[in-house]
Amino acid sequence: MQTGSFGSGWPDVTTQTSKWTALQASLADLSRKHPDAVFASSMGLEDMVLAHAIFQQRLPIHVFTLDTGRLHAQTLDLIERVEDRYGLRIERVHPDASAVQAHVDQHGAYAFYDSLELRKACCSLRKVQPLRRALQGRSAWLTGQRRDQALTREALPEAEYDTHFGLMKYNPLASWSLEDIGALIQAEDIPYNPLHDQGYPSIGCEPCTRAIRPGEDLRAGRWWWEQKLSKECGLHAGNLKH
């Protein structure tokens, strides 16, 4: 396992055994209920736990990631390492190149710093619209969201109907803590992004992510120039309504 400040001091994994067993069982049940289910992985810590459970059991849950064109080099490298580790492919879903270029030509390459409206427009082009395409025709999708990640996720259910995309949405790790995640990663030697060891608990696009400072919440490094309650990109629009 990689070592560093972020991965130190996790609790004994024996305290997490029941959660891990329950997660494996719930994912297997979900795959039977929704044989066309997909998992949208951000390649973050939580998503690596879910991917490990899916790949380890060889569940028929299709795994993909949104390659926005602005991911960290470490994130792109992690995708390849995961594929080598499990012998399975993670699909890269890309934005419409012409739409992105038109936006950049009109507003500039870093317009997302200028206003919330332009930031959300960029997220829509690079993340929301590609996700909508990837979910089309599916009956369910999975995410690695947890309740203690952000104020907008405090009421996050484990299962909900996603009215934004028109299908069931499952958040199997909603009740898990960061300590639960860390213990599992350590015990199962699950690969993860080395940026987590450099103070990045939440990792998105490179220009929109920074390391957090001591005492800051876990998503403080995402769109750090904005107010806390605006820190959703649109993939989980329902969080803003809870």
Side-chain angles (χ1 to χ4, degrees), residues 103-123:
H103 179 80
V104 170
D105 290 344
Q106 182 177 358
H107 301 289
Y110 298 92
F112 42 83
Y113 291 134
D114 296 336
S115 71
L116 178 59
E117 180 182 16
L118 286 173
R119 195 274 289 172
K120 288 188 174 182
C122 184
C123 286

Side-chain angles (χ1 to χ4, degrees), residues 126-143:
R126 294 179 184 271
K127 300 175 73 174
V128 181
Q129 293 177 29
L131 177 63
R132 186 178 295 280
R133 293 198 307 271
L135 298 182
Q136 190 170 10
R138 303 283 184 169
S139 67
W141 71 300
L142 289 73
T143 87

